[in-house]
Amino acid sequence: ARKIRQLPIGCQYIIKLLACLGSTCDESILTLFMREGEDLTGGISAKERRWETEHINNFLMLDVAVDEGLLKKEGSNYIFAHDQIQQAAYSLTPENEQGRLHRHIGHWILKHTSGDRIDDVLFILVDQLNRGKRFI
């Protein structure tokens, strides 16, 4: 967790989102969350959102995590290099915010996924909504 906290705020934010999604995530899912100016966080601190206003290529943030050995890039997938790294990243989101974040991720996927692609993300969508069900 200490190594993750030393990364740029934007990188920390993306890694925490990845940790919520699981050990592996396709670029197409990440692209849903990287729309400039849109806010997924819904209650996450302003400090964590501040990086969204900067004009930084968000995938460069993922490259930082890959360069640091926290993530691996295989094809279009980003994969945590180890399950303990994912757990450490997940633990950086306070427990009282985790369910809310899962709910927001689920709603975000539902809102921004076209009907012809919903089958591709159905399991992720249901998992996120289930993990955030107490906030629905």
Side-chain angles (χ1 to χ4, degrees), residues 55-86:
H55 300 297
I56 296 172
N57 181 335
N58 292 317
F59 279 102
L60 288 176
M61 290 292 130
L62 290 169
D63 291 342
V64 170
V66 170
D67 291 344
E68 290 293 323
L70 299 171
L71 299 175
K72 296 178 188 176
K73 176 88 164 74
E74 294 181 6
S76 64
N77 289 317
Y78 285 92
I79 303 164
F80 278 95
H82 196 280
D83 62 339
Q84 290 180 344
I85 296 170
Q86 179 193 1

Side-chain angles (χ1 to χ4, degrees), residues 9-133:
I9 295 289
C11 190
Q12 291 179 45
Y13 176 79
I14 294 293
I15 288 175
K16 287 194 269 186
L17 282 178
L18 280 171
C20 287
L21 289 164
S23 61
T24 302
C25 188
D26 188 85
E27 283 180 351
S28 63
I29 298 296
L30 292 173
T31 301
L32 295 174
F33 305 120
M34 294 182 178
R35 295 171 184 231
E36 189 173 337
E38 295 193 37
D39 181 17
L40 167 69
T41 56
I44 306 303
S45 74
K47 180 181 177 186
E48 290 179 320
R49 290 193 308 255
R50 192 175 313 132
W51 73 273
E52 291 180 336
T53 62
E54 298 172 5
H55 300 297
I56 296 172
N57 181 335
N58 292 317
F59 279 102
L60 288 176
M61 290 292 130
L62 290 169
D63 291 342
V64 170
V66 170
D67 291 344
E68 290 293 323
L70 299 171
L71 299 175
K72 296 178 188 176
K73 176 88 164 74
E74 294 181 6
S76 64
N77 289 317
Y78 285 92
I79 303 164
F80 278 95
H82 196 280
D83 62 339
Q84 290 180 344
I85 296 170
Q86 179 193 1
Q87 292 168 359
Y90 190 70
S91 73
L92 293 175
T93 301
E95 279 188 44
N96 63 339
E97 293 180 12
Q98 290 172 353
R100 186 176 300 116
L101 183 57
H102 286 294
R103 180 187 60 122
H104 282 292
I105 290 171
H107 283 275
W108 194 263
I109 291 171
L110 186 60
K111 180 180 177 182
H112 292 91
T113 302
S114 61
D116 60 331
R117 290 216 47 240
I118 200 73
D119 288 344
D120 298 336
V121 297
L122 187 59
F123 288 109
I124 296 168
L125 171 64
V126 171
D127 178 56
Q128 293 302 309
L129 291 175
N130 188 46
R131 292 174 81 183
K133 66 185 173 191

